[in-house]
Each structure stands twice: as C-alpha cells, then as structure tokens.
Amino acid sequence: MRVTHGRLSAPRSGIRSWWGKAWQRAVEEAAYVDQDLRAGRTAARRGDVGGISVDAGSLLAAVREGDDTWTVEIGLPALPEEERRALVDVVAAETGRIAALLAGELPYDFVEHAEEAGIELLPFGGELSAGCTCDAYLDPCRHALAVLVQTGWLVDADPLVLFALRGLDRDSLLHALHERASGALSTSGVVDLADDVEVAADAMLRARRLVELMEAGAELPEGLV
C-alpha cells in the first residue's frame, strides 16, 4: 500500500538512531561522486524534496531545483513472500518487539535475529537503484540522493517505513501477527491485544513529542496534551 509522507524538515539533532545511521551509510555507499552527495544533502536540508511516496520496493518524489522540478524514483528489493512470513515470525518471537516497533524503535537484537533467518532488512548501497528525469549521467544523481537522505529521516523516526519498503507495511504486519496468533487466541482477543499495544505506543510517541517541544521551548499544541 503506497503511503505519501508530507514535506520534511531536517531533524534538529540529526540522525539519532543506529538504524538511521545505517541507512545513511548505505546512501554514502550508493553515491558515485562526493560532490553529488554533498549537493544532495544540501538540497535535502534546504527542503527541495516534495512529499515522499513509499511503497513496496519503491520511493517516489519530486525535487525542485531553481525553476525546474525533477521526478525521482528509487528502487529497493522487496522481500519475497517466504521471507516476509519469516520476518513476521521474528517479530512475534519475543514479547515487546511489536510494541517497540510501533513506538519508533528497532531493537538491534531483532535485526540480528532477522539476519540469522536469512532476512536483510537494512539496505546496502548496491541495493539502492535510482532514476531521475534530469539529464545527469550518473545514478543516483544529486536529486535522487536528496530523496534518499530525507528517506533516512523517515526511517530514523519510524523503522516501519523500512518494513514498508521491504514489502511489509504496518497494516500488513499487524494483520499477519493477528493471523499467526489466531490458533492460540480468539480473533477478538488478538485484535484487542493489538489495539492495546497501539494505544500504548501512541502514548509513548505523544510523550516523546511533548518532551521534544518542551526542550525546544515551543508552544504545546492542544492535541498533544
């Protein structure tokens, strides 16, 4: 299911997470020319990238440069069905993993266990393919790199964006967990459990956002209080 994220602003504290930094390393590996990477980072911070559309195996965004606008499409291999099922098993293997993911955390041991099961969740540079409507000779060009840099901000804040790129979006993951647990619990019980987890995760996200706003001295919106 394709989901479009609105225009992003650069995170004040930079990339905070180990998985966000792993994504940025993959972007650095994918870049052929340091000059293009620097230009891409500058364009990302300047806000030249429009809304980023995320789907299984692809990213799509428009990038503004002066009076021109270019369309960028990024490819990342989606997991085959067998590996998606195995990934669901890894999520379900330990209590608290789905709550952590819904709260914007990606446990390191979870990624290790996924790799032991033959599942590569985090990308490496060679997996990131790119196309752009500009006339640059090399791909990824500076526009594609700007999109990749901003996607790193999305992944840093919500690792389920990475799951969606690999072919297992949030709703599909929850549904698969429901199906997996249906042999042990009634369907209503599973749904209630998932709902409780989502409520708890939402409370954690609201608390984190309140702390960030308070530290920045910003006015607190009514919806978060």
Side-chain angles (χ1 to χ4, degrees):
M1 180 178 66
R2 185 171 292 277
V3 175
T4 300
H5 300 264
R7 189 181 296 273
L8 301 173
S9 298
R12 291 187 177 183
S13 57
I15 297 296
R16 65 179 179 86
S17 66
W18 70 268
W19 60 90
K21 292 174 182 176
W23 177 276
Q24 295 292 22
R25 284 194 297 272
V27 175
E28 293 167 2
E29 292 170 0
Y32 284 97
V33 182
D34 286 343
Q35 181 178 353
D36 284 347
L37 180 59
R38 290 194 297 271
R41 286 171 170 163
T42 298
R45 290 192 295 267
R46 194 166 51 215
D48 292 347
V49 180
I52 299 176
S53 181
V54 178
D55 200 1
S58 74
L59 297 162
L60 186 66
V63 180
R64 183 182 63 233
E65 185 179 44
D67 294 331
D68 297 316
T69 301
W70 310 107
T71 300
V72 172
E73 186 166 8
I74 307 291
L76 175 66
L79 299 174
E81 184 177 352
E82 181 179 347
E83 290 186 12
R84 293 199 302 271
R85 289 198 301 268
L87 184 59
V88 172
D89 290 342
V90 175
V91 173
E94 289 191 14
T95 302
R97 280 182 173 171
I98 184 59
L101 290 168
L102 290 171
E105 299 295 331
L106 184 62
Y108 189 80
D109 65 340
F110 166 76
V111 175
E112 285 186 324
H113 293 164
E115 290 177 350
E116 290 170 3
I119 304 161
E120 294 291 340
L121 188 60
L122 290 163
F124 58 89
E127 286 189 299
L128 299 170
S129 61
C132 181
T133 54
C134 77
D135 58 359
Y137 176 71
L138 294 175
D139 288 323
C141 64
R142 59 189 180 277
H143 310 114
L145 289 166
V147 175
L148 285 167
V149 167
Q150 285 207 3
T151 302
W153 303 347
L154 288 174
V155 170
D156 180 57
D158 182 5
L160 287 177
V161 172
L162 182 57
F163 278 63
L165 275 170
R166 288 300 197 184
L168 189 65
D169 61 41
R170 179 179 179 277
D171 290 343
S172 298
L173 174 60
L174 289 174
H175 178 74
L177 289 169
H178 295 171
E179 291 291 317
R180 189 181 186 281
S182 61
L185 296 171
S186 68
T187 302
S188 60
V190 176
V191 172
D192 289 343
L193 176 61
D195 288 344
D196 289 344
V197 169
E198 291 191 57
V199 169
D202 181 67
M204 292 173 66
L205 291 173
R206 286 173 179 269
R208 178 188 294 172
R209 181 58 176 157
L210 281 171
V211 170
E212 291 175 350
L213 291 173
M214 291 171 67
E215 290 178 347
E219 182 178 350
L220 301 182
E222 293 182 3
L224 276 178
V225 180

